[in-house]
Amino acid sequence: MKNPIQELRKEHSIILNELDSFEKSLVRIVLNLNAVDKFISLFDNKMYGLIKLEEDTLFPFLEKYIGKDGPLFVMLYTHESIKNELEKLRNAFHKQDIHSIRKSGERLVQILRYHIEKEDEIILKEAERNLSQHQISHLSAMLSKLVKTHSQPT
């Protein structure tokens, strides 16, 4: 069985690589709206699934050990910030508003980097330290299902 905590870190690494690429495209936005569209698709195909997995499975498991306040509250708050900023980016993209695309894109990159860093440093370490084997198995099954679903060609 794959370690779901390591798999989440791997997914974070993939997203961070996409963020690097996306951030570079923001500099030359007029020339590369395809990169913005690709990034929005990444979210629709992967990030929303990861957010749902964390909120429905991982975070409830961790509440027992670290409570709802503190790190989990911050993670949930940044999930909402990520979703809101993505919606702003999507709207700017549809309007072809270059200034707003750049502004929302830069903000989204900033929020995501912060979120992933804190989740890797705090949340996933707490998960490794506290989750039972049964909880890890359940998380692994849910993550495998998510990865399988979102790796299918669209």
Side-chain angles (χ1 to χ4, degrees):
M1 168 176 52
K2 290 183 179 178
N3 181 325
I5 307 304
Q6 292 302 322
E7 288 296 308
L8 282 170
R9 285 190 175 109
K10 180 179 159 191
E11 292 297 322
H12 285 167
S13 179
I14 291 167
I15 291 165
L16 287 171
N17 286 335
E18 288 294 330
L19 284 177
D20 289 341
S21 176
F22 177 62
E23 190 172 38
K24 289 174 187 169
S25 72
L26 291 173
V27 174
R28 40 183 209 285
I29 194 79
V30 177
L31 301 174
N32 204 353
L33 288 173
N34 287 338
V36 176
D37 190 36
K38 178 184 173 194
F39 186 77
I40 291 170
S41 294
L42 168 72
F43 266 80
D44 290 339
N45 292 325
K46 181 172 275 204
M47 276 302 295
Y48 279 125
L50 284 173
I51 287 172
K52 183 167 176 38
L53 173 78
E54 291 171 359
E55 291 180 359
D56 293 351
T57 306
L58 179 60
F59 294 175
F61 285 162
L62 286 174
E63 277 180 26
K64 175 178 158 182
Y65 306 105
I66 63 175
K68 287 184 181 182
D69 298 327
L72 288 180
F73 177 82
V74 172
M75 292 295 100
L76 292 169
Y77 176 80
T78 57
H79 280 175
E80 288 307 310
S81 297
I82 290 165
K83 291 179 215 176
N84 290 336
E85 207 58 55
L86 177 64
E87 192 57 34
K88 289 178 188 175
L89 178 62
R90 183 179 281 115
N91 290 337
F93 178 75
H94 288 300
K95 293 177 185 174
Q96 301 290 294
D97 179 348
I98 302 304
H99 175 74
S100 295
I101 290 171
R102 184 172 285 126
K103 183 179 170 185
S104 290
E106 289 170 351
R107 178 79 178 124
L108 190 56
V109 167
Q110 179 185 30
I111 295 167
L112 275 165
R113 282 204 173 113
Y114 169 83
H115 178 81
I116 289 171
E117 177 185 331
K118 295 303 172 194
E119 193 165 86
D120 285 351
E121 288 177 1
I122 298 168
I123 301 298
L124 296 182
K125 283 184 180 178
E126 287 294 331
E128 286 174 324
R129 190 177 4 251
N130 292 302
L131 294 186
S132 69
Q133 189 58 48
H134 175 74
Q135 290 169 322
I136 289 173
S137 295
H138 181 71
L139 183 60
S140 182
M142 298 303 288
L143 184 59
S144 292
K145 184 177 177 182
L146 175 75
V147 169
K148 189 179 212 178
T149 300
H150 294 293
S151 65
Q152 301 294 321
T154 55

